[in-house]
Amino acid sequence: MYNYRKIEKKWQEHWDKEKTFKAVNNSDKKPYYVLVEFPYPSGAGLHVGHVRSYTAQDAIARIKRMQGYNVLYPMGWDAFGAPAEQYAIKNHIHPKDAVKANIKTFKGQMKALGFSFDWDREFSTTDPEYYKWTQWQFLQFYKHGMAYKDTIPVNWCPKCKSVLSNEDAAGGVCERCGSVVVQKEKSQWMLRMSNYSEDLLKGLDDTNFAPKVKLGQINWIGKSEGVEMKVQIVGGGEFSIFTTCIETVYGVTFFVIAPDGELIKELMSRVENKKEVMDYIEATSKKSNMDRTELSKGKSGCIVQGIKAINPVNGKEVPIFLGDFVLGSYGTGAVMAVPAHDQRDYEYAKEHNLEMIQVIDGRDISNCAFEKGDYLGKDCKLINSEEFTGMKVEDAKEAICDKLENMGVAKRCVNY
């Protein structure tokens, strides 16, 4: 019979005493680094997600040691932040004491599970010896113009009186107390990470991340090559949109602007359906950015009556809508909508009974949009595009860019 209490306790004590899993500096062995995400010690103990992740990585660390590697497998505590703070508030104790007690519980559970961490490398982000370096890093960012203050909308819980991440505000309610989350403008420090986007992309070439992890990083950096185009508003005013599909610009049948953007505030005096617009803006303020941009959700919207925009390539006047999937804090806060060639716009147009104009021939659009991924690289030509009708997509794309740049209303650019 396997007496786990006696046997496991014996070996855990042996590992601690002999420092079996210690990574030795300046060793002749080939180094191997196994890094796991440090947990938030903000609750009563580990959850099954921790055990699942750490067990898999522990198996890798152990086999690499058996293969003769000098393995660095550390553990630490990501102890700053709202979860630790809210746990302390809920349990009426000081955050410092709460973090200390929770770390002790977490560490005891990890040792009982037999994880082969090098505990000599343990640290907590609440240790002054650690966070003095994060403070130093911030000062370097500030000195080099990388850190700046800006006022942007955030997820705000009126009961907890704190900012929430998109994950903690999923479904429009606070994950901790269940209160309805609102969008509130707050001044906060920001980092100009986009200044280094190209370096970050190139740096991925030298990593050994799994392909899906690299793809996630590439998508997060979000490099897009396209065109920024100015759009005039009937009666005065303008806004800009960015698109990677300028070849579809003749198919624009409406524009969508952000409910939380500056443009709708500037136009409000000219809006004919003010109550409807204000109600929509209020409803949007209760949604998190994650909820607003979720692709699988319904395409809500509100027409801005009395305001129309002019498509610069053909002078056509088209309606403007508010759409919660457009964020005032992202990009230009406005998008062009081409229902025939973008599935999101297609579903939006169907829901709001809007016109569709197919400008790239090659497939029937009665059931779904004919998108960029479907027509690029194929022998498709433009239709319904005035002087560009009959041209191949790639040739027409360049020609349309030239036309818009010559008109002074657009420029080729790279966005991050």
Side-chain angles (χ1 to χ4, degrees):
M1 180 179 176
Y2 175 61
N3 188 334
Y4 70 91
R5 292 183 185 276
K6 180 179 179 180
I7 295 173
E8 292 185 9
K9 185 174 186 295
K10 169 191 171 182
W11 286 106
Q12 286 158 12
E13 289 175 350
H14 173 81
W15 294 336
D16 272 348
K17 182 180 178 181
E18 299 298 324
K19 297 188 181 296
T20 305
F21 309 122
K22 182 178 177 63
V24 180
N25 291 338
N26 304 313
S27 170
D28 293 332
K29 294 181 179 180
K30 190 174 180 179
Y32 197 93
Y33 185 24
V34 182
L35 178 64
V36 295
E37 185 176 2
F38 295 166
Y40 293 108
S42 57
L46 296 173
H47 59 68
V48 69
H50 292 123
V51 178
R52 175 180 177 272
S53 175
Y54 300 158
T55 299
Q57 297 302 314
D58 195 75
I60 293 173
R62 286 176 177 275
I63 195 170
K64 287 300 178 182
R65 291 192 191 95
M66 294 170 71
Q67 291 172 344
Y69 287 86
N70 181 32
V71 176
L72 172 59
Y73 186 34
M75 176 47 63
W77 317 103
D78 192 0
F80 272 131
E85 184 179 299
Q86 291 301 322
Y87 178 84
I89 292 171
K90 183 179 179 179
N91 291 276
H92 307 289
I93 52 179
H94 193 284
K96 182 179 179 181
D97 297 330
V99 167
K100 185 176 180 180
N102 289 335
I103 287 175
K104 183 178 180 181
T105 299
F106 273 51
K107 187 173 180 178
Q109 290 175 320
M110 288 181 180
K111 286 193 170 186
L113 285 162
F115 291 139
S116 61
F117 295 122
D118 178 0
W119 289 107
D120 285 353
R121 308 275 176 165
E122 176 191 5
F123 68 89
S124 171
T125 57
T126 55
D127 295 338
E129 282 301 305
Y130 173 85
Y131 66 70
K132 75 176 183 181
W133 292 111
T134 61
Q135 292 175 332
W136 177 87
Q137 285 180 315
F138 177 82
L139 289 174
Q140 307 317 304
F141 288 142
Y142 182 75
K143 289 175 184 177
H144 291 83
M146 281 285 289
Y148 65 101
K149 268 204 165 182
D150 196 9
T151 299
I152 64 169
V154 296
N155 301 317
W156 178 258
C157 175
K159 184 176 180 181
C160 295
K161 299 189 185 304
S162 65
V163 176
L164 304 176
S165 68
N166 285 333
E167 292 80 4
D168 288 337
V173 296
C174 176
E175 187 269 341
R176 291 189 287 275
C177 72
S179 298
V180 175
V181 173
V182 298
Q183 294 296 299
K184 181 177 182 178
E185 290 195 342
K186 284 186 68 68
S187 176
Q188 56 191 296
W189 285 102
M190 311 284 286
L191 296 178
R192 300 184 198 279
M193 298 306 297
S194 58
N195 288 9
Y196 292 86
S197 295
E198 199 61 38
D199 291 334
L200 291 170
L201 284 170
K202 290 178 181 176
L204 288 171
D205 295 338
D206 299 324
T207 66
N208 293 317
F209 293 144
K212 67 178 182 180
V213 175
K214 279 192 179 184
L215 180 60
Q217 291 292 307
I218 291 169
N219 290 340
W220 178 78
I221 295 167
K223 180 179 179 179
S224 298
E225 296 184 16
V227 177
E228 186 169 322
M229 182 176 74
K230 293 179 184 177
V231 179
Q232 298 298 315
I233 299 172
V234 177
E238 68 175 25
F239 59 91
S240 295
I241 61 96
F242 173 81
T243 179
T244 61
C245 303
I246 197 65
E247 67 274 14
T248 66
V249 69
Y250 280 90
V252 172
T253 59
F254 60 103
F255 289 94
V256 185
I257 64 175
D260 55 339
E262 291 300 314
L263 181 59
I264 187 59
K265 295 177 184 177
E266 296 169 6
L267 296 174
M268 191 58 72
S269 63
R270 295 156 57 185
V271 174
E272 295 176 356
N273 57 332
K274 284 187 177 61
K275 185 179 186 308
E276 184 182 4
V277 166
M278 291 302 295
D279 286 347
Y280 187 79
I281 292 172
E282 174 66 19
T284 301
S285 72
K286 297 176 181 177
K287 300 178 182 178
S288 70
N289 287 355
M290 180 178 287
D291 291 332
R292 288 173 61 183
T293 55
E294 177 59 47
L295 292 176
S296 62
K297 74 177 185 65
K299 305 298 182 289
S300 73
C302 171
I303 190 169
V304 183
Q305 292 180 0
I307 310 288
K308 287 197 173 184
I310 303 170
N311 187 337
V313 290
N314 55 19
K316 286 187 176 179
E317 296 182 7
V318 297
I320 296 177
F321 278 74
L322 291 180
D324 61 3
F325 61 89
V326 182
L327 306 178
S329 58
Y330 181 78
T332 65
V335 298
M336 71 179 200
V338 188
H341 303 293
D342 183 282
Q343 190 59 32
R344 182 193 62 192
D345 298 344
Y346 183 93
E347 293 170 8
Y348 195 91
K350 284 280 190 183
E351 192 162 321
H352 298 279
N353 196 29
L354 299 168
E355 182 184 11
M356 296 190 191
I357 300 174
Q358 184 170 359
V359 293
I360 298 173
D361 199 13
R363 197 179 73 189
D364 176 60
I365 63 164
S366 58
N367 294 314
C368 65
F370 187 32
E371 295 189 286
K372 182 177 182 178
D374 301 321
Y375 62 73
L376 278 189
K378 297 181 181 177
D379 191 24
C380 296
K381 296 180 179 180
L382 264 64
I383 55 176
N384 301 318
S385 302
E386 298 181 359
E387 68 263 44
F388 305 110
T389 293
M391 292 180 67
K392 290 184 177 179
V393 170
E394 286 304 314
D395 295 335
K397 185 169 190 167
E398 290 304 307
I400 292 171
C401 283
D402 290 340
K403 175 179 179 176
L404 290 168
E405 286 184 329
N406 290 335
M407 292 170 61
V409 299
K411 61 180 180 180
R412 294 172 173 87
C413 61
V414 176
N415 274 11
Y416 292 98

